[in-house]
Amino acid sequence: VSRWLAEWAWLGDGEAATPAVLIETDGDRITTVTPAVPDPPADVTRLGGLVLPGLANAHSHAFHRALRGRTESGAGDFWSWREQMYAAAARLDPDSYFRLARAVYAEMALAGVTAVGEFHYLHRDPDGRPYANANAMGEALAAAAADAGVRLTLIDTCYLRGGFDRPLQGVQRRFGDDDADAWADRAAAFAVPGVRRAAAVHSVRAVPPTALATVAGWAAERDAPLHVHVSEQRAENAACVEATGMTPVRLLAEQGILGARTTAVHATHLTTDDVTLLGQTRSFVCLCPTTERSLADGIGPAADLARTGARLCLGSDSHAVVDLFEEARAVELDERLLTGRRGQHRPDALLRAATETGMAALGWDGGRIEAGRLADFVAVDLGSVRLAGADPAAAAAHVVFAAAPADVTDVVVGGRAVVADRRHARLGDVGQLLAEAIAPDTGHLGRGG
Ligand SMILES: [Zn+2]
């Protein structure tokens, strides 16, 4: 049993923080939460500032981190960016992927992320041949997350064709399996203790309708989350309508893919009917605003989705930045720009998207500081220049609209301190690890001697 004393804690209801909260944990669970403890026991670990539930990064492609800053200087659109992303994908093998993903997940840990959903489709070698261990790449991700101290939901992605009318080509061949049954067998063979398995349909353009049922059945049998990229680009909607007569969301609905275990990622370019379908089925919608703005995707109808019943969660996707606070505020701020109206999302609802709802979309019973939940929580420094002067009665608003990853001082995952005093306990200098994984030949542009 461990005891933690939060100077302030956000307990998930409303915007206010509660003072002097004693959190007791046993193994990886919270056993008791006692607010306003006047006389804490001597053996507590004190967490200064505001303690939040661990942040959930519900949509990640770890290898995209290698592109940060390298794709911002030229013209183009999503499809020209994709060519640069494919070049990065072609360079990775299980060893280099382990080193890159370990550093990326450690960056996430420093930013307060305690669970990540890795939307994983780098299954084969760069020539499209299966590795001797067909799950070598997935196992590299699992080892990376374990070293970084972050919970992993490995979202094993079915990716069978390059478009409605073409096969996998070039580097796409490493994303594939022979067919949906082969995908299901490979995904079923992945078993790493502590890692949650989930299924993904890469997109309706990459998975034929007959295969959709196989992927959905695999997830249903295991009560596992099911994720799918949906309507990030107008061109993919147009191709789907041309090939099937339906929007991607309508096609997924017809195939029985939507529902309470399903996460639609992006959901940017939707019809009114699409919004209704996602809401009525209580599907999750994972918004990735910093990536969506980086790739010139567009701004989705987040407020309408939430009003209709869809459950919003957040992902850093391409890792243009790893900052779940920024993802959360961007949901509201982007809609302000689009609609000319403020306050369509309450700050505490945005913080729930970054915590409890994201955890649920990844199949974890966390995201809330409450007895019985996973013991994942993070401390945010209320004395930082960004948060100094914060009003505890509106703590959620201060954190969502002004906090940065640098304000995260401590991260506890499953009752274990992964980050203490802004330092990764196991891995130390995460900047160095990132530099070595991303640019081993150009050296580390560090602070110097
Ligand atoms: Zn994605």
Side-chain angles (χ1 to χ4, degrees), residues 76-99:
D77 59 10
F78 171 87
W79 306 101
S80 55
W81 168 84
R82 197 177 73 159
E83 292 307 315
Q84 297 175 287
M85 183 269 279
Y86 280 1
R91 287 196 288 272
L92 292 163
D93 61 30
D95 285 340
S96 59
Y97 203 16
F98 163 73
R99 288 192 298 274

Side-chain angles (χ1 to χ4, degrees), residues 82-83 85-91 121-130 159-163 166-177:
R82 197 177 73 159
E83 292 307 315
M85 183 269 279
Y86 280 1
R91 287 196 288 272
Y121 54 80
L122 290 184
H123 303 310
R124 293 183 162 184
D125 79 10
D127 297 319
R129 286 184 301 256
Y159 198 136
L160 298 176
R161 61 184 187 185
R166 51 184 188 280
L168 297 173
Q169 289 166 327
V171 73
Q172 290 177 337
R173 291 172 301 157
R174 72 179 314 191
F175 309 161
D177 291 281

